[in-house]
Amino acid sequence: MVTKKETTAGKTAKENAEQGFEAPKELRDSLQLILVSLLDLQLVGKQIHWNVVGPNFRDLHKNLDEIVAIARRGSDEVAERMRALHATPDGMAATIVKDTRIEQPTSGEILTTDAVDVVVKALEATVGVMREKHDAVDEADPTTADILHQYIADLEQQAWFISAEKRTPRASK
């Protein structure tokens, strides 16, 4: 059972012509945790991108850039959506360290086969947070849930791409 955790996401005052929907606390907290996951996925992806070595290096190296690009777009879109809903996103390093659910890779070089395992776990952890928070986000604001749908699909596709590096074909019957 996952315990509810206080996040650093705050609330802005409505000023001037700003009106519209204001994210309730649970929505702010859910989006903050998703933001942290996407930001850390970028960092883990780049750490491995810079240090991966071994068989099929080039393909994995390039695929990691695709993952980082998806996570960058996602973190920006989630943070900007938070602002549109009068919430204050927190992307500070200390917040990421405190709240991430992504297992951190070791520093230094990492063999491609080991990198595959680390990256797939990081993708699955990120998608896991998005799926865990999806229903609460959808209940509070279906428009915001729509944003999550494409990132879940994109990141799950990347997990499939990367994990296929280590798969072997099943014997035909």
Side-chain angles (χ1 to χ4, degrees), residues 20-171:
F21 181 69
E22 184 176 309
K25 183 174 182 354
E26 185 176 10
L27 178 57
R28 290 192 314 265
D29 289 349
S30 293
L31 293 176
Q32 177 60 38
L33 189 56
I34 291 166
L35 176 63
V36 163
S37 296
L38 289 165
L39 290 169
D40 199 25
L41 180 59
Q42 292 175 56
L43 296 171
V44 168
K46 271 304 185 183
Q47 178 66 25
I48 295 171
H49 169 86
W50 295 321
N51 292 298
V52 68
V53 296
N56 207 25
F57 158 80
R58 190 166 192 279
D59 286 339
L60 184 55
H61 183 78
K62 291 176 95 115
N63 201 172
L64 288 164
D65 272 340
E66 292 176 33
I67 292 167
V68 169
I70 293 166
R72 261 194 198 130
R73 278 193 316 273
S75 63
D76 194 48
E77 193 165 358
V78 167
E80 289 179 355
R81 182 66 182 158
M82 290 175 74
R83 291 296 296 163
L85 301 178
H86 303 284
T88 55
D90 182 353
M92 301 298 291
T95 301
I96 296 168
V97 168
K98 178 175 69 74
D99 294 338
T100 191
R101 294 186 185 172
I102 297 176
E103 186 178 316
Q104 301 300 293
T106 59
S107 60
E109 291 183 336
I110 183 169
L111 185 63
T112 51
T113 53
D114 295 333
V116 165
D117 293 336
V118 173
V119 171
V120 170
K121 284 181 186 174
L123 287 161
E124 289 173 345
T126 303
V127 170
V129 168
M130 295 172 107
R131 286 188 171 280
E132 173 192 323
K133 298 300 181 182
H134 177 274
D135 289 349
V137 170
D138 191 42
E139 185 177 320
D141 183 29
T143 302
T144 301
D146 285 347
I147 292 169
L148 301 183
H149 297 153
Q150 190 59 53
Y151 289 103
I152 290 170
D154 289 347
L155 294 174
E156 285 177 339
Q157 182 182 50
Q158 290 297 323
W160 165 54
F161 287 166
I162 297 288
S163 67
E165 290 281 339
K166 291 180 66 173
R167 285 207 49 221
T168 54
R170 291 187 181 146

